[in-house]
Amino acid sequence: MSFFRRATVVLAATTALTAGLALPALAHVTIQPGTAEQGGFTKVAFRVPNERDNASTTKIEVSFPTDHPLAFVSVKPVPGWKVKVTESKLPTPVKTEYGDLEEAVTKVVWEGGKINPGEFQEFEVSMGQLPEDVDSLMFPTKQTYSGGEVVDWSEAPKADGTEAEHPAPVLKLVPAAEDADGGHATASAGTSTLSATAPPSVTPVAAASSSSSSDGTARLLGAAGLVVGVIGVVIGVLGLRRRPSA
């Protein structure tokens, strides 16, 4: 076998191995986007790819945190899918700025639809108020296939940084943007407002100045013309006086 053919075979094998290793990572159930601000509200999508080539995904069950419950949860309809939102009584009421939260959404289930092999589906949820005292929220998810297989995506991230075999979707929480940004935005808005209102008050002044300048120029030209006319008359009279009589 020539060197060129051996290199081609090795390259093809390496590519296939790399693709094979990458596919499982890409097939995980994830939450998109993966980051949101602490203390705020956000809209996310649970992205569910179909891992099997001989079965379709027919049910998705997402569990919501009870240690840091979310007071407001709403779902966006997905054509072809039925959704059921379950609220449960919390083991211990949680104090929020809206009062004590005794019940919260603990589970959302989508079923009745179908994610075919080689396809994925996104299930959108609006939720808040996000906690301020943690840096992540985990949403264990169960994926059911048409053949009856259930894949449980519920493993927490490993301490050593390596990825678990069936990781749960995780939403990372970051500190909210500083107030300085808001102040800057307000200042910018104020500048824009001033810019928008300035022209009506400035334009008449500029127009009056221009008109006044034009009138002054016209008067100056008129006066100069009058002087030239008078000089012409005087010259004409002097000329007539100097002419000899017939």
Side-chain angles (χ1 to χ4, degrees), residues 28-188:
H28 295 342
V29 175
T30 58
I31 189 169
Q32 304 291 332
T35 304
E37 289 188 352
Q38 294 173 333
F41 290 76
T42 188
K43 184 188 78 171
V44 300
F46 292 95
R47 181 175 297 173
V48 183
N50 189 69
E51 287 187 311
R52 305 293 181 258
D53 56 6
N54 59 352
S56 299
T57 296
T58 57
K59 182 179 179 181
I60 297 297
E61 180 180 323
V62 179
S63 296
F64 281 64
T66 56
D67 53 346
H68 293 90
L70 302 171
F72 304 97
V73 176
S74 60
V75 297
K76 182 177 181 179
V78 180
W81 293 78
K82 296 179 180 179
V83 60
K84 180 181 179 181
V85 180
T86 300
E87 290 189 10
S88 303
K89 191 174 183 65
L90 299 174
T92 304
V94 177
K95 293 186 178 296
T96 70
E97 62 178 286
Y98 305 101
D100 289 347
L101 185 64
E102 298 182 352
E103 292 186 353
V105 172
T106 54
K107 185 181 299 183
V108 179
V109 177
W110 290 269
E111 60 183 334
K114 185 168 60 174
I115 306 175
N116 294 317
E119 298 178 350
F120 73 92
Q121 179 65 55
E122 290 186 340
F123 302 89
E124 294 183 328
V125 177
S126 176
M127 57 188 181
Q129 187 173 7
L130 300 175
E132 299 180 357
D133 56 348
V134 293
D135 58 8
S136 66
L137 292 176
M138 195 166 68
F139 297 84
T141 301
K142 292 182 179 180
Q143 179 178 12
T144 302
Y145 287 93
S146 55
E149 178 189 8
V150 178
V151 180
D152 192 2
W153 303 97
S154 60
E155 296 179 25
K158 293 184 177 181
D160 60 3
T162 59
E163 190 173 53
E165 184 177 358
H166 295 95
V170 174
L171 178 64
K172 295 182 179 179
L173 302 179
V174 298
E178 296 180 0
D179 293 340
D181 293 340
H184 178 71
T186 303
S188 299

Side-chain angles (χ1 to χ4, degrees), residues 188-228:
S188 299
T191 302
S192 299
T193 302
L194 289 174
S195 299
T197 57
S201 61
V202 172
T203 302
V205 175
S209 176
S210 176
S211 176
S212 176
S213 176
S214 298
D215 292 344
T217 303
R219 285 195 294 269
L220 179 60
L221 291 176
L226 180 61
V227 171
V228 172

